[in-house]
Amino acid sequence: MADHAPAECVLALCQLDLTEFRNYASLRLELTPHPVVLTGPNGAGKTNLLEAISYLAPGRGLRRAALSAVARTGGSGRWAVAARLTTPGGPVRLGTGIDELPGRRRAIHV
């Protein structure tokens, strides 16, 4: 018999906020713990959402793009990705983006 974790132990992305990220000037996406299907024409931003989520983990993101390359074209050059998660240990807020300090480094907030 398979050992299944209780429903309250689910890790889920509840909210995703993007600012000046790829083709999104601003976006707030409210989610439930249920599976999500992204549909739309080519260039609509489906992969950009997945890339934004990938920046919430250590590393260089889904596409391994330079940090300056993920800023929205025509924007300020700064960008941010923030999320609210439910975890077995309680709610967690994460965020990352280009730091305002000289050198435009990536900042991470937990």
Side-chain angles (χ1 to χ4, degrees), residues 5-76:
E8 64 270 6
C9 290
V10 171
L11 173 65
L13 177 63
C14 300
Q15 181 178 313
L16 180 67
D17 293 299
L18 306 181
T19 305
E20 299 287 336
F21 186 89
R22 293 283 188 188
N23 64 322
Y24 295 98
S26 178
L27 172 76
R28 171 164 282 173
L29 188 59
E30 300 281 343
L31 302 161
T32 67
H34 303 288
V36 173
V37 176
L38 301 173
T39 63
N42 288 342
K46 302 175 300 290
T47 303
N48 293 344
L49 288 173
L50 298 175
E51 182 179 26
I53 293 167
S54 76
Y55 273 104
L56 298 171
R60 292 187 41 209
L62 180 71
R63 296 180 187 169
R64 301 187 53 79
L67 294 178
S68 60
V70 301
R72 188 173 69 92
T73 301
S76 67

Side-chain angles (χ1 to χ4, degrees), residues 19 67 76-80 96-109:
T19 305
L67 294 178
S76 67
R78 295 173 32 205
W79 57 269
T96 189
I98 290 292
D99 197 324
E100 294 185 44
L101 296 173
R104 303 183 68 76
R105 298 179 301 164
R106 181 174 167 200
I108 300 169
H109 300 275

